[in-house]
């Protein structure tokens, strides 16, 4: 129990959505911020192969979405299943690598990038994006449970706004990126 209290204190979540095809994002505080994806300079990560943790997380999240759940005080209805997207995997892995190599824990990258910029940099043309991050020496089950027990993380995993997910882990840094692509 004490181990989880420490881990929960370092959980973090964020999400952004666009209005149609614009790249202005509204963060949870209601503040509107313009995104310039060209300011993100981190090199593109090569193709990421779906690993066992990604497969396990996808299974756990889709089981949760299938039955619905309570995220804090809010009852979340069942949601369509998510699919893994390799571009979201790349963005998640890049952020996990950045946090691990620079020894920090935040949604903002070491170069000031936001999730929306990191995802755009991979070529993912998004309508909605969200991110859950976790730090700790645990397994995928504990990371999932930590996100499920945190209302904001749980809402990200249950949001019908998201259709795809990506996952990356480097060292003790875990990143789940969620997204919905623009309709072409």
């Amino acid at each position: 129990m004490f181990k989880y209290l420490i881990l929960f204190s370092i959980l973090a979540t964020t999400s952004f959505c666009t209005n149609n095809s614009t790249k202005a994002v509204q963060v949870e505080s209601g503040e509107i911020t313009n995104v310039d994806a060209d300011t993100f300079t981190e090199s593109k990560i090569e193709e990421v192969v779906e690993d066992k943790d990604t497969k396990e997380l996808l299974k756990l999240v889709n089981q949760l979405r299938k039955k619905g759940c309570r995220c804090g005080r809010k009852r979340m209805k069942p949601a369509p299943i998510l699919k893994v997207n390799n571009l979201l995997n790349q963005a998640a892995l890049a952020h996990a690598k950045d946090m691990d190599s620079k020894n920090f824990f935040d949604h903002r990258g070491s170069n000031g990038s936001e999730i929306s910029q990191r995802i755009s940099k991979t070529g993912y043309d998004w309508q909605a994006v969200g991110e859950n991050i976790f730090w700790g020496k645990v397994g995928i089950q504990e990371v999932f449970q930590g996100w499920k027990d945190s209302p904001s993380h749980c809402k990200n995993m249950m949001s019908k706004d998201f259709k795809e997910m990506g996952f990356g882990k480097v060292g003790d840094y875990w990143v789940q990126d969620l997204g919905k692509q623009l309709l072409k």
Side-chain angles (χ1 to χ4, degrees):
M1 178 69 168
F2 183 72
K3 173 174 91 172
Y4 288 108
L5 290 175
I6 293 170
L7 293 174
F8 290 159
S9 69
I10 58 173
L11 292 171
T13 184
T14 190
S15 62
F16 301 109
C17 294
T18 64
N19 183 6
N20 297 327
S21 63
T22 66
K23 288 293 184 190
V25 296
Q26 183 168 6
V27 295
E28 289 175 11
S29 67
E31 174 189 346
I32 302 291
T33 307
N34 289 324
V35 174
D36 178 8
D38 294 331
T39 63
F40 181 64
T41 59
E42 196 152 332
S43 63
K44 188 172 178 177
I45 306 256
E46 291 164 16
E47 187 167 334
V48 179
V49 176
E50 191 177 323
D51 66 11
K52 68 180 179 95
D53 282 340
T54 303
K55 289 177 183 176
E56 181 66 15
L57 180 60
L58 181 66
K59 182 180 107 180
L60 292 167
V61 171
N62 281 336
Q63 287 172 348
L64 187 68
R65 288 173 70 93
K66 185 177 179 181
K67 65 182 180 179
C69 68
R70 185 168 295 282
C71 295
R73 295 182 178 172
K74 183 169 171 103
R75 175 78 184 134
M76 303 295 289
K77 293 180 180 179
I81 64 167
L82 297 175
K83 295 179 181 175
V84 170
N85 180 284
N86 199 45
L87 296 175
L88 293 176
N89 278 345
Q90 289 176 21
L93 184 60
H95 191 49
K97 281 183 177 182
D98 184 32
M99 289 190 294
D100 182 66
S101 68
K102 307 261 184 355
N103 195 28
F104 73 99
F105 183 77
D106 197 337
H107 286 288
R108 186 176 298 274
S110 63
N111 64 355
S113 65
E114 298 287 345
I115 178 183
S116 54
Q117 294 166 302
R118 292 189 298 271
I119 288 177
S120 292
K121 188 69 174 174
T122 69
Y124 188 90
D125 196 12
W126 58 271
Q127 182 176 2
V129 293
E131 181 173 78
N132 290 338
I133 61 176
F134 191 99
W135 179 87
K137 292 182 187 298
V138 296
I140 195 67
Q141 290 277 357
E142 292 86 359
V143 172
F144 169 76
Q145 190 64 47
W147 285 336
K148 182 177 177 270
D149 292 343
S150 166
S152 57
H153 294 85
C154 181
K155 287 176 188 173
N156 265 354
M157 290 192 299
M158 289 299 298
S159 175
K160 292 180 182 179
D161 288 339
F162 302 131
K163 307 295 181 200
E164 300 171 307
M165 69 159 255
F167 175 75
K169 177 191 183 291
V170 177
D172 296 332
Y173 295 89
W174 308 74
V175 178
Q176 178 189 41
D177 283 345
L178 301 137
K180 177 181 179 182
Q181 295 187 56
L182 283 172
L183 298 176
K184 306 260 183 203

